Amino acid sequence: MKNSVLAVIALLSASLFAQDVPELYSAPVKKVQVGDKRMAYKVFGKGSPLLMIAGYGSPLESWDSYVVSALSKEFTVIVFDNRGIGRSTTSNATPSIEPFAKDAADLVRTIGSEKVSVMGWSMGGYIAQEFALKYPELTGKLILLSTSCGGSESIPPSDEEISMLQNMGDPEVLLKVLFLTDWTLAHLEVAARFTGSSSQEESGEQR
């Protein structure tokens, strides 16, 4: 059964990756002066604003383009490069979560948004939590992905979870980590997005 599911997902992956690259990559970058830095960002869609904060060392294009595309159908999605990453400049200040959160708040104010839902992934989740605590007047909803509160109150991953994360190149392991089996079976096209790169690599090796 598992092999059959993976085979279907592999076929869907080939189809999905043959499509044009979504506009996340091709859309022009906007830049604004935020304090002593130039912040690079892109905006997609219409609706209530959603600020998406990427993880450590990740430029705005690190967000899955199909996720951004889907969200932009209901929200005004704002993705940006944190200071010193991608096309955003840095400053002489010592990097820490607090100034990253201030950058995000200043960006929101500069581009004219009054209140945003904030989504943070990995280190971006740390920044999003700091944003919500320090700037409640700018915060609508808080969405946290693959992150923690940090410090002594955080719950570290188990040895089994760490082992699974170290084997994310295996499509079967990847699906087990990300999705419940029943959900995978009901959403094969979505699951294919997360195994497509592995399928492509395997296809390339066979050629």
Side-chain angles (χ1 to χ4, degrees):
M1 179 64 175
K2 288 182 178 178
N3 289 337
S4 298
V5 171
L6 289 174
V8 172
I9 289 175
L11 289 172
L12 287 169
S13 297
S15 173
L16 286 168
F17 277 86
Q19 297 174 10
D20 292 337
V21 176
E23 62 177 342
L24 175 63
Y25 301 101
S26 59
V29 177
K30 300 179 180 181
K31 293 184 179 181
V32 292
Q33 191 70 31
V34 176
D36 59 349
K37 299 165 298 301
R38 293 280 289 174
M39 300 289 291
Y41 71 101
K42 295 183 181 183
V43 179
F44 303 94
K46 291 184 178 180
S48 59
L50 171 64
L51 182 72
M52 298 173 64
I53 308 177
Y56 178 76
S58 299
L60 62 88
E61 288 87 0
S62 62
W63 289 103
D64 185 274
S65 54
Y66 288 87
V67 170
V68 173
S69 178
L71 289 172
S72 68
K73 291 178 171 60
E74 298 187 33
F75 301 93
T76 297
V77 177
I78 306 163
V79 291
F80 68 100
D81 290 332
N82 285 309
R83 63 164 67 192
I85 301 299
R87 287 141 298 194
S88 289
T89 60
T90 188
S91 70
N92 294 325
T94 302
S96 68
I97 298 302
E98 188 172 350
F100 279 122
K102 185 177 186 303
D103 290 344
D106 288 343
L107 175 64
V108 168
R109 293 191 183 102
T110 301
I111 64 179
S113 294
E114 295 182 0
K115 182 171 282 194
V116 296
S117 293
V118 186
M119 178 186 292
W121 158 45
S122 192
M123 189 189 82
Y126 286 39
I127 300 169
Q129 291 172 79
E130 183 73 12
F131 183 105
L133 289 170
K134 288 289 180 66
Y135 309 101
E137 74 282 3
L138 295 177
T139 308
K141 296 179 180 179
L142 178 63
I143 306 104
L144 303 176
L145 308 174
S146 301
T147 190
S148 76
C149 61
S152 60
E153 298 298 320
S154 65
I155 301 174
S158 66
D159 291 342
E160 180 184 5
E161 290 166 335
I162 291 175
S163 177
M164 292 174 71
L165 291 171
Q166 290 173 338
N167 290 283
M168 293 285 271
D170 182 337
E172 187 172 330
V173 173
L174 181 63
L175 291 176
K176 184 178 179 182
V177 170
L178 295 176
F179 308 112
L180 295 173
T181 301
D182 289 346
W183 192 94
T184 299
L185 292 172
H187 302 84
L188 292 176
E189 289 191 13
V190 177
R193 283 286 304 129
F194 293 87
T195 59
S197 57
S198 297
S199 299
Q200 281 190 316
E201 289 170 5
E202 291 170 5
S203 299
E205 290 173 358
Q206 290 173 358
R207 293 194 193 105

